Amino acid sequence: MFEQFNTKLIEASKQFADASFKAHGLAMEGFEKVVGIQIAALEERVNANAVFFGKATEARGLEAAKSLLPESIALTREATEATIARSQEVIGVVTKTNEAITALFKGQIEAANEAFVKPAAKKAAK
């Protein structure tokens, strides 16, 4: 009896270890996507700022500096919109990753329930 219980316990432990390894892989995959999104956003903002500051350094008078005001407002608006869009994209990636990990462990819990709880309930009923 103990050998049968130990065998099932070892099998369940292996399954949980495999599931944990898969969950770690899913988490790292999600992390890589999020980092990629953030790096793309950083590159985009650096390029936009470099173009703006290039124009700003060429301004030689008060009128040229005044003409930069609408561009600086547009740059700020674009940065804000990009930040919001990237944040929503990151939230989407994190949500999908969490759902995948949850589904993975839900299956493991159901398998453990099948292996341990139901046979024990059947024996108790006898």
Side-chain angles (χ1 to χ4, degrees):
M1 171 142 169
F2 288 114
E3 185 176 323
Q4 184 182 18
F5 178 76
N6 285 338
T7 303
K8 285 185 179 185
L9 185 62
I10 290 170
E11 288 174 10
S13 297
K14 286 180 183 179
Q15 289 175 351
F16 277 116
D18 288 341
S20 296
F21 186 73
K22 288 177 185 176
H24 184 265
L26 289 170
M28 290 306 296
E29 184 179 316
F31 178 73
E32 288 175 4
K33 288 178 184 177
V34 168
V35 168
I37 291 168
Q38 296 299 337
I39 288 174
L42 180 64
E43 289 174 351
E44 183 181 306
R45 289 295 90 214
V46 167
N47 290 337
N49 287 333
V51 169
F52 174 76
F53 285 117
K55 290 179 183 177
T57 58
E58 294 174 0
R60 297 288 181 230
L62 187 59
E63 289 303 315
K66 284 182 183 179
S67 70
L68 289 174
L69 183 62
E71 288 184 42
S72 66
I73 292 171
L75 181 68
T76 303
R77 188 190 78 243
E78 288 172 12
T80 304
E81 290 172 353
T83 300
I84 292 169
R86 300 291 182 181
S87 297
Q88 290 174 344
E89 193 174 351
V90 165
I91 289 170
V93 169
V94 169
T95 301
K96 287 180 182 178
T97 302
N98 286 341
E99 288 172 353
I101 291 171
T102 301
L104 180 68
F105 280 110
K106 182 179 178 185
Q108 291 299 313
I109 291 171
E110 289 172 355
N113 189 27
E114 291 290 325
F116 291 103
V117 177
K118 288 189 176 179
K122 286 180 185 177
K123 285 188 180 185
K126 288 181 179 180

